[in-house]
Amino acid sequence: MLLNTLGKLFEKAIANRLQWEAARFGLLHPCQFGGVCQNSTEDAGSYLTHLVRAGWDRGYKTSVVAFDLAQYFPSLNHTAITLILDRMGFVDNIVNFFADYLVGRYTKLSWDNQLSDPFSAAVGVGQGLALSPILSALYLAPVLWKFHTKRPTDQLISYVDDGTIIVQSKT
């Protein structure tokens, strides 16, 4: 019990430090909401409302498409996470920690008192873990930066594993 509690405490401390580092160096896109400090659901709603009202002032109509990335947390590739952390400039100690923490994991399934043989778990981050929100935000950040570079007049808002594409035009 104590080991489990200490593990969760350390995980929360690491998650808070990743949040701080990501904010300090501007690694997360401003349109990432949820799971990111200082960017809540209310902020996402306010941002969308602002975009629509500003579009009205310019005579634009706003189209919105919302989507859900199904099985997002179970699909995060561990090797990709460490590569992204490395390319974002995190120090080697952090990258190596996550390489050890995530890569090379195995799991077993239990069903009706039957236990499977161990099998590789090279993808996935537990949805309820303290590290999941910041890891998923860092994982998705390059997509948002690229989208806004390629389509500067359109908007892509991310809320953890949900997204909204917003396009404005005269018609």
Side-chain angles (χ1 to χ4, degrees), residues 11 19-20 51 54 68 81 149 159-160 170-171:
E11 187 177 279
Q19 285 266 356
W20 186 81
L51 286 175
D68 174 48
I81 291 172
T149 301
Y159 186 81
V160 188
K170 294 281 186 185
T171 60

Side-chain angles (χ1 to χ4, degrees), residues 69-123:
L69 298 172
Q71 296 295 310
Y72 180 65
F73 287 102
S75 301
L76 298 183
N77 183 291
H78 297 166
T79 304
I81 291 172
T82 57
L83 182 62
I84 289 167
L85 292 173
D86 184 50
R87 290 203 176 155
M88 286 181 161
F90 282 95
V91 295
D92 288 342
N93 289 348
I94 296 290
V95 176
N96 293 337
F97 169 80
F98 281 102
D100 291 340
Y101 178 74
L102 293 171
V103 177
R105 288 184 158 215
Y106 289 85
T107 191
K108 296 179 183 181
L109 295 178
S110 175
W111 182 271
D112 198 25
N113 293 327
Q114 299 288 325
L115 193 61
S116 74
D117 291 331
F119 59 92
S120 176
V123 296

Side-chain angles (χ1 to χ4, degrees), residues 26-161:
L27 300 175
L28 300 175
H29 195 277
C31 289
Q32 283 183 275
F33 300 94
V36 178
C37 290
Q38 305 301 315
N39 279 4
S40 67
T41 306
E42 292 86 4
D43 294 325
S46 296
Y47 183 69
L48 180 57
T49 302
H50 167 76
L51 286 175
V52 171
R53 289 180 164 262
W56 289 346
D57 289 344
R58 293 189 313 261
Y60 289 166
K61 303 212 181 331
T62 303
S63 298
V64 176
V65 175
F67 60 91
D68 174 48
L69 298 172
Q71 296 295 310
Y72 180 65
F73 287 102
S75 301
L76 298 183
N77 183 291
H78 297 166
T79 304
I81 291 172
T82 57
L83 182 62
I84 289 167
L85 292 173
D86 184 50
R87 290 203 176 155
M88 286 181 161
F90 282 95
V91 295
D92 288 342
N93 289 348
I94 296 290
V95 176
N96 293 337
F97 169 80
F98 281 102
D100 291 340
Y101 178 74
L102 293 171
V103 177
R105 288 184 158 215
Y106 289 85
T107 191
K108 296 179 183 181
L109 295 178
S110 175
W111 182 271
D112 198 25
N113 293 327
Q114 299 288 325
L115 193 61
S116 74
D117 291 331
F119 59 92
S120 176
V123 296
V125 185
Q127 193 162 345
L129 302 176
L131 281 166
S132 297
I134 185 59
L135 285 178
S136 66
L138 290 166
Y139 193 85
L140 195 57
V143 173
L144 272 85
W145 286 111
K146 182 64 97 174
F147 180 90
H148 286 96
T149 301
K150 296 285 186 182
R151 302 194 53 96
T153 58
D154 300 332
Q155 297 292 317
L156 173 60
I157 297 175
S158 167
Y159 186 81
V160 188
D161 62 341

